[in-house]
Amino acid sequence: PFHQHQVDSTLDHYVQIVTCLLAMLLRPQRTYRIPLPSHLQAGVDLFHQLLADPQGPGVTQAIHSLLISLWKEKWRASENNKMPCPTLRCLALHTLQRDGSFKGPKDVTQSIAHFEHCMRLTFLFEIHRLMEDVTEGDEEKACNMVQPFFVEKSQSTFNSLRTLQHIASTMAYKTRGLPHLWWKDGTSTTMVYHGQELHLEKVHQAIVTMETQLVEIWEKK
């Protein structure tokens, strides 16, 4: 049971970014617009309609079909739409911070990894669906039908994410992090550690206080 709880909590954590992707597509497009092909917009509209009864039949299948359509689409940039892929748009917005800056490379790799993990699981589900409905149980044939969309070196959303992951990982390894500790004065008696100011004399006072309390506990209690 404990292991199952760990698996469930991990999956809940991983699917958050895919939930953000779906929410982004459902949000009314007023100031920020995401152009979609007609068949994908139809999938979003159907999902929106079915959400009137989230526990009703067809919601899970609508989510799966929409994600498969998104991740099998071969997105091509144009002059009017330089980032056509909604998944990459979601990743960019997900890493945007309140001050208008973007997260550093080491903080982006986790979001990309979550996307990749959910994409692999989605295509695994699709392989089983194809085995039941299309390939008459032939697992290899079903896998070959969708394999280009969850491997590298193929024009796909997954490949774009893998490319970004390689770039972000390389930058994270080469980027030196900011110091967590520095001294505020020339006498080395006051330091700032993770934004908290510490005074060495107060550390000494704390140790003395702890020793006094220990002696009192040992002798009287």
Side-chain angles (χ1 to χ4, degrees):
F2 177 72
H3 175 69
Q4 185 61 46
H5 173 72
Q6 284 185 312
V7 172
D8 292 342
S9 61
T10 300
L11 286 175
D12 287 343
H13 185 62
Y14 270 63
V15 300
Q16 286 180 5
I17 194 164
V18 179
T19 305
C20 291
L21 170 61
L22 294 173
M24 182 186 76
L25 294 173
L26 290 172
R27 184 174 291 115
Q29 297 187 23
R30 297 188 179 95
T31 56
Y32 183 77
R33 298 185 179 278
I34 306 172
L36 292 176
S38 57
H39 66 282
L40 275 171
Q41 187 60 55
V44 173
D45 295 339
L46 174 62
F47 177 44
H48 192 198
Q49 293 172 14
L50 292 173
L51 278 180
D53 181 13
Q55 303 301 323
V59 177
T60 300
Q61 183 56 45
I63 294 174
H64 176 72
S65 298
L66 178 56
L67 291 177
I68 287 293
S69 297
L70 281 170
W71 293 335
K72 287 179 67 176
E73 186 75 19
K74 293 190 175 183
W75 302 98
R76 291 180 173 84
S78 65
E79 187 64 29
N80 297 326
N81 189 6
K82 297 184 181 297
M83 188 180 288
C85 178
T87 304
L88 298 186
R89 284 181 180 240
C90 179
L91 177 65
L93 293 172
H94 190 71
T95 57
L96 184 63
Q97 303 184 108
R98 291 184 180 276
D99 62 358
S101 63
F102 288 91
K103 293 179 181 178
K106 69 180 181 63
D107 298 317
V108 175
T109 54
Q110 187 180 62
S111 297
I112 299 175
H114 288 180
F115 254 135
E116 292 174 354
H117 184 73
C118 289
M119 292 176 77
R120 289 189 178 106
L121 288 178
T122 301
F123 280 108
L124 177 61
F125 188 90
E126 178 68 2
I127 289 171
H128 284 277
R129 188 194 68 80
L130 291 171
M131 287 172 59
E132 292 180 5
D133 301 339
V134 180
T135 66
E136 299 179 347
D138 190 330
E139 184 177 13
E140 183 176 1
K141 186 177 180 180
C143 181
N144 289 338
M145 292 175 67
V146 294
Q147 185 174 350
F149 304 103
F150 62 85
V151 296
E152 294 186 65
K153 303 187 186 335
S154 175
Q155 185 180 353
S156 64
T157 299
F158 184 85
N159 181 66
S160 298
L161 287 172
R162 289 300 300 158
T163 301
L164 291 174
Q165 184 74 299
H166 291 317
I167 295 172
S169 297
T170 300
M171 293 176 65
Y173 284 128
K174 291 184 176 181
T175 302
R176 184 175 180 178
L178 294 174
H180 297 303
L181 180 152
W182 64 88
W183 297 101
K184 288 189 65 176
D185 53 21
T187 59
S188 298
T189 59
T190 303
M191 69 172 68
V192 176
Y193 180 70
H194 282 285
Q196 300 294 322
E197 189 171 280
L198 301 175
H199 303 274
L200 290 187
E201 61 270 17
K202 292 185 178 180
V203 175
H204 179 262
Q205 292 172 10
I207 294 173
V208 171
T209 302
M210 290 172 60
E211 290 180 346
T212 302
Q213 292 175 346
L214 285 172
V215 170
E216 183 178 358
I217 292 172
W218 179 256
E219 292 182 348
K220 298 181 181 179
K221 299 182 181 179

